[in-house]
Amino acid sequence: MTSAAVPQPRAEHEPSASAARGRRSSLAIALLAGALGAAMVLLATSRKWAEGTASVAQGSLSQSANGDDITGLPGALAVVGLAALVAVFAVRRLGRVVVAALLALSGAGIVVSSALGASDKAALEEKASKVSGLTHSPIHDVAYTPWPWVAAAGGVLLLLAGVLALGYGRHWPAMSGRYERAGTPARSRARRGAATTPDPDRPEELWKALDRGEDPTEAPARREAERGA
């Protein structure tokens, strides 16, 4: 007689375990990429992006411009992206999708604005005009540093965090919403509901019940009804 096949529950649970590991990995990568990317952008925008020489009446004068002088967009988007990364865990469903999309768009905007600022000399020319007193003062021997591309790399990391949040964010945990409007935990509310029924012969207990918003006459009336039944 042919023996019945023995079920193998372990094989059935392997895909779900693999999916759980993938979700945990996506969460860890998104958090690391988002935090590191924002830090890289904020650091890079505070550094020198370009330098050159301005012609003035006394000869020539060196000028330099950091990332914030050239474009303030990468730094501002880094702050927005970091806030969106934190907000992902404070919202659910459609709200999480919207915040994840904002995170991804912040990263993409950083990449584009940093790439455009890598060859921009308008900030140097503006500084040269202030020094020389001329409306259009030329700037010579312009040299650019790698910092714009560091900011762009940070934007790529923020973009990666946003893409992961869009793909896996619905499986990530959310902040607990177990606290009521007054800021009192649900456990305390249940403890108040289980309080001893006030004694009608003790006025101080009746006042305490009224302060808690309870009806001190409800329980005795119920007991009288049960006794009459």
Side-chain angles (χ1 to χ4, degrees):
M1 183 175 61
T2 305
S3 59
V6 179
Q8 299 180 356
R10 182 177 300 179
E12 295 178 0
H13 291 292
E14 282 181 359
S16 60
S18 176
R21 286 195 299 270
R23 293 166 187 172
R24 289 194 297 268
S25 299
S26 66
L27 173 59
I29 294 173
L31 287 174
L32 179 61
L36 180 60
M40 289 174 60
V41 175
L42 293 175
L43 174 65
T45 53
S46 65
R47 304 298 179 178
K48 184 192 300 182
W49 282 24
E51 57 185 353
T53 304
S55 299
V56 294
Q58 296 80 9
S60 60
L61 185 65
S62 298
Q63 297 292 322
S64 63
N66 58 24
D68 290 328
D69 295 331
I70 293 176
T71 172
L73 191 58
L77 289 177
V79 175
V80 173
L82 191 59
L85 180 64
V86 176
V88 165
F89 303 97
V91 294
R92 302 184 184 186
R93 298 183 179 88
L94 181 60
R96 180 166 290 190
V97 174
V98 172
V99 173
L102 178 62
L103 175 58
L105 290 175
S106 297
I110 291 172
V111 173
V112 174
S113 58
S114 298
L116 293 176
S119 58
D120 191 348
K121 61 179 183 179
L124 289 176
E125 293 176 345
E126 182 179 354
K127 286 189 172 185
S129 298
K130 291 180 179 179
V131 172
S132 63
L134 302 176
T135 305
H136 299 287
S137 181
I139 192 81
H140 308 286
D141 302 327
V142 179
Y144 300 96
T145 67
W147 285 110
W149 303 110
V150 174
V156 171
L157 292 177
L158 282 169
L159 176 59
L160 173 61
V163 171
L164 289 174
L166 285 171
Y168 297 93
R170 62 184 181 276
H171 303 296
W172 293 351
M175 293 181 181
S176 176
R178 296 177 60 186
Y179 285 82
E180 301 177 359
R181 180 177 57 185
T184 304
R187 186 182 303 174
S188 299
R189 185 171 180 265
R191 190 181 301 119
R192 289 199 308 268
T196 305
T197 303
D199 187 355
D201 296 330
R202 302 186 62 181
E204 66 274 11
E205 292 190 6
L206 296 177
W207 283 113
K208 290 180 180 178
L210 290 173
D211 289 339
R212 293 195 299 267
E214 300 174 0
D215 185 359
T217 64
E218 181 180 357
R222 186 167 57 251
R223 284 199 299 267
E224 291 295 334
E226 293 175 354
R227 192 176 303 168

